[in-house]
Amino acid sequence: MSPEQRKADLAALPPDPHRLPVKGSWFGPDAERHLLDRPKFCPMCAVDLNQSGGISTEYWAADLRVFMTWCGGCGWFGEIVRFDMVTITEEEH
Amino acid sequence: MLTVEQNEELTSVGPSTPMGELLRRYWYPIAFEEDFDSMPTKTVRLLGENWTLFKTPIGGRYGIVAEHCPHRRASLTYGVVHEDGIRCGYHGWKFAFDGRCVEQPAESDNQNFRDRVQQKAGKAQTMAGMVWVYVGPDPAPELPRFDVFVMDGVKDCGYTTLPCNWLQIMENSVDPHHVEWLHGHYFEFLGQTHGFDAPKAFQKKHMKTGFEEMEWGILKRRVLEGSTEENDDWKIGHPLVFPYFMRVGGAGINQMQIRVPIDDTHTWTLFFSTHSPKGAEPSNQDRPVFYEYQWKDEQGRFITDYIEGQDTMAWVSQGAIIDRSQEHLGRSDAGVAMLRKMFKENMKKVADGEDPIGTVREPHERIDLPCEKDKFGAEREFANAWITGGSMRYSPIKQELLDLHENAWAARESAGTNA
């Protein structure tokens, strides 16, 4: 990631400094990416997930970053996945 | 991984917090009946607040009020218990069971003052040798009479207070994989290092796990190596009972694991078991046996050569409150993510004025929970391993429990019903 891109990304973080990952902490960059990349809106009803009382928990599966997400507005519950490359595992055939 | 704010919301249990409001919709065991054999009052701490629990001398009725007198804040635990309430020992203010101030001896000419004072109060009742309390808004739900507490059998309960948030203990309940590692391979490693035989039943590899939302919480299923979906571990499974229990069992042992949120950084943990193996003699116990189990040695190290000691090491060593903004979950942690969703969903229900999941409004005799009976395909070995390799090893009736299961096994053998 370019320094410019990172600067732009960081500008999008929430304003309260206490909410940010601790500077220099070992896993700080992961927490920072989580803040930037977690879904902000429901894929079904488009409501703000924070304001609707929803939650998105991130877990990793190989290169995938999976956000198990529940919308407090419409009740949609599912996974939103970030990936860099689409990979397909061929089932036995 | 969560944000810092989400972690705080999920782990703060005090009054007026979203989680605190949700948790105040449930009954909690907070003391034992035997605590009141010699004293009529006890200070207890629940959901970040101190309470005075009391028992009336003649009727034996239990009540619970906030500990500090609203007059000048002395502890009501050092008060005078009457049949219709409790009186502060300092200046004699008296409170009814519902918290109404009914007497102010030094203010007898000013009734209006008395009527303007309301002490925070809850409800209390007994079940299975424990005193259960409800400190939420009216109308209070029914106390759920879950099967383990009311079924016949020999009852035994180990307990302790742990210095960590209750949620990390609950997340462990939807983390099946820890069993094969913490209680399987780590146990084996300890056995090899220290020269004892670790139980083998826990080492079986998880081939598949499932999590299903159900009436009482989340039903957890697993297929272990060498088993199929026809085995109890998958076909029946066992539930996390929202928001603070886990029902487990097998081999004639029925157990409710109880995690009472004392405050944000302390949890009262209890392993309440009812032993009722087929073929056993009926129990003639007056009360369950309660005892404290040990989890730290003289050097202050965790005691990890038994199941609950291993769990305790994991829960407490995660920190007083896990920093979930620094965690890295994997696919096998899907149950953990699902539980967090369930908490958020029910916080919202409460905020919207609805009853959360598991609220019981109808009087009932007993609530049966789904729970596998054939555990890991190792009945006799499993019962023995659970008693000798779990917190029950600290039980004053450990040998009686071992004999109970062994005799029941022998009775089934002679009757030809052990198949």
Side-chain angles (χ1 to χ4, degrees):
Chain A
M1 182 191 306
S2 71
E4 293 74 25
Q5 181 59 52
R6 185 164 188 279
K7 197 173 169 189
D9 279 356
L10 290 179
L13 284 168
D16 181 351
H18 299 294
R19 307 294 93 179
L20 299 180
V22 180
K23 267 205 167 102
S25 64
W26 187 259
F27 294 120
D30 294 338
E32 191 178 287
R33 284 316 310 177
H34 175 73
L35 277 175
L36 288 164
D37 296 339
R38 70 197 167 96
K40 310 285 189 295
F41 303 98
C42 173
M44 175 61 77
C45 71
V47 76
D48 183 313
L49 287 170
N50 261 347
Q51 287 180 10
S52 74
I55 186 170
S56 192
T57 301
E58 178 180 353
Y59 68 85
W60 295 355
D63 290 336
L64 306 180
R65 294 177 56 210
V66 185
F67 297 86
M68 188 184 280
T69 302
W70 175 74
C71 171
C74 68
W76 186 86
F77 181 43
E79 293 182 338
I80 298 166
V81 184
R82 281 187 67 101
F83 50 77
D84 294 324
M85 182 174 72
V86 178
T87 52
I88 298 167
T89 305
E90 291 288 346
E91 297 297 328
E92 263 188 51
H93 60 281
Chain B
M1 187 175 286
L2 295 177
T3 66
V4 174
E5 299 98 318
Q6 286 171 330
N7 196 30
E8 285 174 359
E9 186 183 51
L10 285 168
T11 54
S12 300
V13 302
S16 303
T17 61
M19 182 62 95
E21 289 304 303
L22 167 60
L23 294 177
R24 280 167 174 73
R25 265 61 179 180
Y26 297 91
W27 287 84
Y28 297 88
I30 198 65
F32 305 123
E33 285 186 74
E34 64 194 36
D35 296 340
F36 294 85
D37 287 349
S38 53
M39 290 290 287
T41 59
K42 183 178 183 182
T43 296
V44 294
R45 187 163 169 78
L46 176 66
L47 299 171
E49 297 183 279
N50 279 12
W51 305 87
T52 293
L53 188 58
F54 61 97
K55 180 185 179 186
T56 62
I58 300 170
R61 181 180 173 189
Y62 288 88
I64 182 168
V65 291
E67 182 187 4
H68 295 286
C69 178
H71 178 210
R72 292 187 56 209
R73 311 298 292 159
S75 171
L76 291 172
T77 302
Y78 297 88
V80 180
V81 181
H82 298 271
E83 287 305 302
D84 56 353
I86 188 166
R87 186 189 294 278
C88 181
Y90 196 12
H91 299 95
W93 285 24
K94 185 178 174 186
F95 301 93
F97 279 88
D98 62 5
R100 277 178 304 113
C101 182
V102 292
E103 284 183 34
Q104 295 171 322
E107 310 287 338
S108 55
D109 293 328
N110 189 348
Q111 282 201 351
N112 187 37
F113 181 22
R114 183 179 70 202
D115 294 343
R116 288 165 56 200
V117 177
Q118 172 75 35
Q119 180 70 325
K120 199 183 271 193
K123 314 257 185 311
Q125 57 178 289
T126 60
M127 179 173 69
M130 296 181 282
V131 186
W132 298 69
V133 300
Y134 174 84
V135 295
D138 285 327
E142 295 287 319
L143 170 62
R145 296 171 59 79
F146 290 120
D147 48 9
V148 174
F149 302 121
V150 296
M151 64 173 46
D152 290 333
V154 178
K155 293 182 166 58
D156 166 278
C157 178
Y159 65 90
T160 195
T161 299
L162 298 178
C164 67
N165 186 267
W166 115 105
L167 182 63
Q168 57 215 56
I169 305 181
M170 290 312 295
E171 288 183 340
N172 178 77
S173 298
V174 275
D175 170 15
H177 284 272
H178 89 272
V179 172
E180 84 182 64
W181 283 99
L182 185 62
H183 308 315
H185 303 301
Y186 173 68
F187 212 161
E188 179 69 20
F189 165 75
L190 279 185
Q192 288 171 4
T193 316
H194 294 80
F196 63 82
D197 281 330
K200 310 295 180 210
F202 303 109
Q203 294 175 12
K204 293 184 180 178
K205 188 175 179 182
H206 285 71
M207 307 306 290
K208 182 169 154 180
T209 54
F211 304 95
E212 185 184 340
E213 291 191 21
M214 45 87 83
E215 186 183 2
W216 300 105
I218 297 175
L219 191 60
K220 185 172 65 174
R221 305 172 193 271
R222 56 181 135 215
V223 176
L224 298 168
E225 198 164 32
S227 304
T228 70
E229 292 183 10
E230 288 306 305
N231 288 83
D232 280 6
D233 285 320
W234 181 269
K235 204 157 85 178
I236 302 172
H238 64 255
L240 175 153
V241 182
F242 193 88
Y244 70 96
F245 295 111
M246 184 170 69
R247 169 76 160 95
V248 294
I253 304 173
N254 300 279
Q255 189 177 79
M256 199 66 130
Q257 301 188 356
I258 308 169
R259 295 78 186 253
V260 179
I262 294 175
D263 55 30
D264 293 352
T265 54
H266 294 88
T267 306
W268 197 40
T269 59
L270 303 95
F271 295 90
F272 190 103
S273 307
T274 299
H275 297 257
S276 53
K278 275 184 190 163
E281 295 290 322
S283 161
N284 56 2
Q285 260 185 329
D286 291 332
R287 277 177 177 172
V289 173
F290 296 102
Y291 55 92
E292 193 155 5
Y293 67 88
Q294 306 300 310
W295 56 277
K296 274 202 168 173
D297 65 17
E298 288 168 357
Q299 283 77 45
R301 289 176 53 87
F302 292 105
I303 302 171
T304 55
D305 63 349
Y306 73 102
I307 304 291
E308 289 87 338
Q310 293 157 1
D311 282 320
T312 298
M313 177 279 293
W315 304 335
V316 176
S317 71
Q318 285 173 309
I321 301 175
I322 299 178
D323 181 357
R324 292 175 177 78
S325 72
Q326 302 277 302
E327 70 185 3
H328 293 79
L329 303 184
R331 183 165 290 283
S332 63
D333 299 306
V336 172
M338 196 167 170
L339 177 62
R340 294 174 187 175
K341 172 256 177 184
M342 187 171 270
F343 275 110
K344 285 290 287 186
E345 193 173 15
N346 284 282
M347 280 182 209
K348 185 168 164 53
K349 277 189 180 176
V350 168
D352 291 345
E354 297 172 35
D355 277 341
I357 184 173
T359 306
V360 181
R361 294 286 176 198
E362 296 298 319
H364 57 281
E365 289 297 313
R366 166 170 158 164
I367 296 170
D368 283 301
L369 295 166
C371 189
E372 62 267 291
K373 290 188 168 51
D374 172 23
K375 192 70 186 171
F376 297 176
E379 170 97 16
R380 189 183 184 192
E381 180 196 353
F382 191 82
N384 188 288
W386 200 347
I387 294 167
T388 56
S391 58
M392 281 180 260
R393 76 180 189 175
Y394 295 106
S395 173
I397 59 166
K398 176 182 139 189
Q399 191 55 50
E400 290 170 45
L401 296 176
L402 287 168
D403 292 345
L404 175 83
H405 286 274
E406 197 60 23
N407 293 340
W409 183 85
R412 295 196 302 272
E413 272 294 281
S414 63
T417 56
N418 251 339

